[in-house]
Amino acid sequence: MVALTDLAFPGFFRSRTCEMGSYFGVRSEGQLIAMGGERLKLDGPTESYPEISGICTHPDHRGKRYAENLIWHLVRRHRRDGAVSWLHVSAGNDRAIQLYLRMGFVEARRVLLHRISCKG
């Protein structure tokens, strides 16, 4: 999972990130070629808000709707549980933004994130 996500967004998916929620994948010839899942779950007063996270497809397998199908799988699970799906995306990831907009997601807000690390 880390190797696949490192192709899309290096350093943001660690070896234990998959323990934070449910993740699903697509394999071809034993290799993980697409994946997506849940990382954070925010609880509101009346609903829960699970984050759709780690959506990526190996560059050799793009254009086959794997990411879209994984997202729909997660959204259906969330709706079944009465939850509201959300996700975030880098402003420069036009391909993903266009997919999310086509799927009915809307931009709620823009935030500026800074990557920090601990000197050790």
Side-chain angles (χ1 to χ4, degrees), residues 49-119:
Y49 299 86
E51 174 196 21
I52 294 177
S53 179
I55 302 296
C56 57
T57 303
H58 190 285
D60 294 342
H61 297 276
R62 290 187 179 146
K64 299 175 183 176
R65 301 181 67 191
Y66 293 137
E68 182 177 355
N69 288 326
L70 287 162
I71 294 167
W72 279 125
H73 176 73
L74 291 159
V75 168
R76 282 192 298 273
R77 286 171 44 103
H78 296 165
R79 287 182 181 163
R80 177 198 68 202
D81 297 340
V84 178
S85 305
W86 65 279
L87 50 80
H88 69 272
V89 61
S90 296
N93 192 344
D94 294 325
R95 185 179 179 116
I97 291 169
Q98 291 309 309
L99 170 62
Y100 303 150
L101 292 173
R102 279 195 315 272
M103 294 181 74
F105 285 91
V106 296
E107 182 179 323
R109 66 188 46 88
R110 292 181 184 222
V111 295
L112 181 60
L113 300 175
H114 298 278
R115 188 171 189 178
I116 59 172
S117 61
C118 180
K119 283 188 172 183

